[in-house]
Amino acid sequence: MPSANLDAVIIGGGHNGLVCGFYLARAGLNVRVLERRGVVGGAAVTEEFFPGFRNSTASYTVSLLNPKVIADMRLHERGLSIVERPIANFLPQPAGGYLKVGGGLERTQAEFRKVSAHDAAALPAYYAALEAVADVLRELALKTPPNAGGGPRALLALAAQGRGLARRPIATQRDVLDLFAKSARAFLDGWFESEAVKAAFGFDAVVGAYASPDAPGSAYVLLHHVFGEVNGKKGAWGHAIGGMGAITQAMAEACEEAGVAISLDAPVAEVLTEADAAVGVRLESGETVMAARVVANVGPRILYERLIDPAALPDDFRRRMRGYRTGSGTFRMNVALCELPDFTCLPGKDPAEHHMSGVIIAPTLDYMDRAFSDARQFGWSKAPIVEMLIPSTVDDSLAPPGAHVASLFCQQFAPVLPDGRSWDDEREAAADLIVETVTAHAPNFRASILGRMILSPLDLERRFGLAGGDIFHGALSLDQLWAARPVLGHGDYRGPLKGLYMCGAGTHPGGGVTGAPGHNAAREILADRSLLGRLLR
Ligand SMILES: Cc1cc2nc3c(=O)[nH]c(=O)nc-3n(C[C@H](O)[C@H](O)[C@H](O)COP(=O)(O)OP(=O)(O)OC[C@H]3O[C@@H](n4cnc5c(N)ncnc54)[C@H](O)[C@@H]3O)c2cc1C
């Protein structure tokens, strides 16, 4: 395609880049997506990581993907099938025994009764409160935040979005404040007494958040993990048959059908600017692609620190972006298994519901707090936070018959190791520790591993283009959310240069496989084309 007549060039073919490209092309724009890797999908891909074994190598579970995006891109018609797990989580306990969460309210209450009658009784009200706040988030997910310093349109958005919240019952408004401002521990202390129950819910607060569950604002990350749904079931998490790549391959098909040109192995080296406008990009190959609009699916830190000449950016903006926090403290492994883990607390190697759930090794909030402080000091903790999912128990397309693949998703691993140490030298040791941590609960685990793919924070950066290995393109903290994502004054998907837009997880509503940033960015880009849209700005 000749680049001269491009309406938009999108840097990155992650799921949000694809979603944005789809909506733009559907509205008649001439769009080209430039993806650095040989596969689209960004952090939502399925790859063979060991001969005969495939897995979602980065993100691995679905919930947040917006139903409107699914419908508009006709992802189900393109073959996307998402299955629920029988229960959500299985938590082996340090003193023996286990806790199962999910599979219906009554079942979870019965489980909680093992540790606290009070907590079992509190559960319905807790779920209802969380659900009410998650509804607020759901309502905001596809709305453009009111842009600080914006024109009448921003004021209208502020009034509408503020009124939506003000209409909620006072209890919900209080819960909103709690979840946005409190630490996960303070929030959960208000509901439960058992450390095991608090850990079962508090785990979500440290996923992708390099922070203690005692950090003010950490409760928000917990909320961020419950605003999705699977097949209409709110708050549930599921598995995409064929892995996360099934989502992004279906998205790519929708894009191509709408007329988007997708170029693979096309890393962008630089955004081209003229005066105060973005006018195109230069690829590492030397090719120049000119376009009326440049849309960045890459995270803000990569866009503003690596792809744009600093002299082209306003000084204050540049300084603030230097303070933008990335680095989620995530360590990820994919393992090929010859058999399922046989847990001491629940023996058996035949597939059972606990094998189909998220197995969580993080028994208390204190354990999680220690994992963070150890990581700050030493790089990682000898008692790491581990979640393991075995998708082959619900999807036989991923491993040979009788064999399995597991995703190990581990938190509080320093994005940058202290004392000048490098992840290149230490990834194997950290991986061994993670394997030992699981083996302590399932003695056959270490010996069952046929092959493994290790992704330290540095590997996540190199392989997936995630600054600091940040799974969300930037911390989900109050100072980097909603109208302040990535920075106040640019919370409406528009960058600081004319014709420059952002459509990735570093914009509202943040990380996760949601499609929402891509959807919203496309709407703003299209609004800027209309006279009314421009007048209202
Ligand atoms: C290990 C891990 C586990 C996760 N688990 C889950 C989960 O289970 N469920 C969930 O919902 N979310 C999960 N997430 C978060 C979620 O995957 C991301 O937030 C989401 O995929 C971000 O999508 P995106 O399209 O905005 O950006 P990305 O997926 O990061 O896409 C950006 C794209 O830009 C490309 N790119 C980078 N630099 C350049 C360049 N110079 N030129 C051209 N292209 C470039 C990249 O290759 C990439 O394809 C996880 C993420 C990780 C890393």
Side-chain angles (χ1 to χ4, degrees), residues 297-300 324-326 465-466 470-475 485 504-506 511:
N297 175 205
V298 294
Y324 182 76
R325 284 175 305 105
T326 52
L466 300 164
D470 196 310
I471 72 167
F472 296 139
H473 288 193
R485 193 164 184 85

Side-chain angles (χ1 to χ4, degrees), residues 217-300:
S218 53
Y220 173 76
V221 184
L222 184 162
L223 174 68
H224 195 83
H225 285 93
V226 300
F227 83 92
E229 59 183 75
V230 168
N231 302 329
K233 198 164 173 190
K234 288 180 179 180
W237 285 82
H239 170 77
I241 297 294
M244 299 299 275
I247 299 173
T248 45
Q249 288 301 319
M251 285 179 168
E253 187 183 302
C255 280
E256 274 159 5
E257 203 174 281
V260 178
I262 299 175
S263 304
L264 300 177
D265 299 309
V268 169
E270 185 188 2
V271 173
L272 300 173
T273 60
E274 272 172 23
D276 58 351
V279 295
V281 299
R282 183 177 54 78
L283 274 68
E284 280 180 16
S285 65
E287 185 191 348
T288 296
V289 178
M290 304 305 286
R293 296 158 195 83
V294 175
V295 187
N297 175 205
V298 294

Side-chain angles (χ1 to χ4, degrees), residues 145-161:
N147 201 34
R153 190 186 168 116
L155 286 174
L156 287 174
L158 181 62
Q161 293 180 32

Side-chain angles (χ1 to χ4, degrees), residues 294-481:
V294 175
V295 187
N297 175 205
V298 294
R301 190 171 280 291
I302 291 189
L303 174 66
Y304 295 117
E305 293 192 347
R306 300 187 202 165
L307 298 185
I308 300 185
D309 177 2
L313 296 170
D315 285 347
D316 183 63
F317 180 87
R318 231 175 44 226
R319 184 179 66 74
R320 287 182 195 279
M321 284 317 302
R322 268 205 309 275
Y324 182 76
R325 284 175 305 105
T326 52
S328 54
T330 303
F331 195 103
R332 178 81 169 79
M333 284 169 72
N334 294 287
V335 292
L337 303 174
C338 66
E339 63 180 4
L340 287 173
D342 188 3
F343 289 93
T344 312
C345 65
L346 188 55
K349 290 194 276 193
D350 290 334
E353 64 175 11
H354 65 288
H355 292 120
M356 298 174 194
S357 72
V359 180
I360 294 176
I361 301 173
T364 62
L365 294 176
D366 282 344
Y367 180 103
M368 298 181 218
D369 174 50
R370 218 164 27 244
F372 173 66
S373 49
D374 286 353
R376 288 286 298 266
Q377 225 180 326
F378 309 113
W380 70 80
S381 174
K382 289 205 169 76
I385 300 171
V386 177
E387 181 186 14
M388 177 168 68
L389 235 110
I390 312 175
S392 49
T393 54
V394 292
D395 180 354
D396 61 13
S397 74
L398 301 174
H404 288 279
V405 292
S407 301
L408 291 151
F409 190 39
C410 312
Q411 312 300 328
Q412 314 304 9
F413 286 75
V416 176
L417 288 173
D419 309 321
R421 286 149 54 205
S422 165
W423 275 116
D424 282 337
D425 302 323
E426 307 207 18
R427 72 165 69 75
E428 294 284 339
D432 289 344
L433 174 74
I434 290 164
V435 169
E436 288 317 311
T437 304
V438 178
T439 304
H441 294 277
N444 69 331
F445 183 67
R446 189 191 328 110
S448 70
I449 296 177
L450 304 169
R452 64 188 194 181
M453 174 198 229
I454 305 171
L455 296 165
S456 71
L458 182 61
D459 300 318
L460 289 174
E461 165 147 355
R462 285 185 187 140
R463 190 176 181 92
F464 297 106
L466 300 164
D470 196 310
I471 72 167
F472 296 139
H473 288 193
L476 296 174
S477 49
L478 196 51
D479 57 317
Q480 298 189 170
L481 283 176

